[in-house]
């Protein structure tokens, strides 16, 4: 079964390797809470559509979700840089920097 990440179709064997250093429970809880807030915002936008609310009000909420998702991505990127990337560089894998640049471009 395929899924889309940043506009690219991926398959289960194509990506998603595990972190060498697991996330701690606090980080997982914080990230999960952020995701749940975004889901709530998206549900709110759906309700606004059903209630035939003013387009400008809906667009304000869309911008809020986009901003929240962007912030979420930057938090995950920062953690990636502080753990996975540092570990790879320390182990001599400087090719990881190409991945980092691609990820930063995708998050812009």
């Amino acid at each position: 079964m395929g899924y889309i990440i940043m506009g690219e179709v991926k398959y289960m064997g194509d990506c998603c390797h595990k972190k060498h250093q697991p996330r701690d429970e606090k980080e997982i809880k914080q990230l999960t809470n952020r995701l749940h807030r975004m889901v709530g915002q998206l549900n709110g936008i759906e309700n606004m559509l059903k209630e035939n609310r003013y387009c400008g009000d809906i667009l304000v909420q869309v911008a809020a979700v986009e901003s929240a998702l962007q912030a979420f991505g930057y938090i995950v990127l920062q953690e990636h840089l502080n753990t996975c990337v540092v570990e790879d560089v320390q182990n001599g894998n400087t090719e990881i920097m190409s991945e980092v640049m691609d990820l930063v471009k995708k998050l812009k």
Side-chain angles (χ1 to χ4, degrees):
M1 175 183 218
Y3 53 97
I4 298 175
I5 296 179
M6 298 292 203
E8 298 176 26
V9 176
K10 299 287 185 177
Y11 298 93
M12 283 311 233
D14 290 349
C15 82
C16 303
H17 42 278
K18 299 270 187 175
K19 285 175 62 71
H20 296 285
Q21 181 181 5
R23 291 179 179 87
D24 64 33
E25 290 299 318
K26 181 180 177 185
E27 179 187 6
I28 292 170
K29 183 167 177 49
Q30 289 173 337
L31 290 171
T32 301
N33 286 343
R34 283 179 175 268
L35 286 173
H36 289 168
R37 278 195 297 275
M38 286 183 273
V39 168
Q41 288 176 300
L42 289 169
N43 289 334
I45 292 170
E46 180 181 12
N47 289 335
M48 292 174 81
L49 287 171
K50 290 176 181 176
E51 295 168 0
N52 200 33
R53 298 276 297 274
Y54 181 65
C55 298
D57 293 342
I58 293 171
L59 292 171
V60 167
Q61 293 306 310
V62 168
V65 172
E66 287 177 336
S67 177
L69 188 56
Q70 187 83 19
F72 178 87
Y74 286 139
I75 291 168
V76 173
L77 177 62
Q78 181 177 3
E79 177 64 17
H80 181 55
L81 294 172
N82 290 335
T83 57
C84 303
V85 173
V86 167
E87 183 178 316
D88 276 0
V89 169
Q90 288 173 343
N91 290 331
N93 178 12
T94 56
E95 292 175 13
I96 190 73
M97 297 313 292
S98 295
E99 176 191 282
V100 168
M101 292 308 299
D102 289 341
L103 291 171
V104 169
K105 288 175 190 174
K106 289 177 181 181
L107 278 175
K108 64 177 170 93

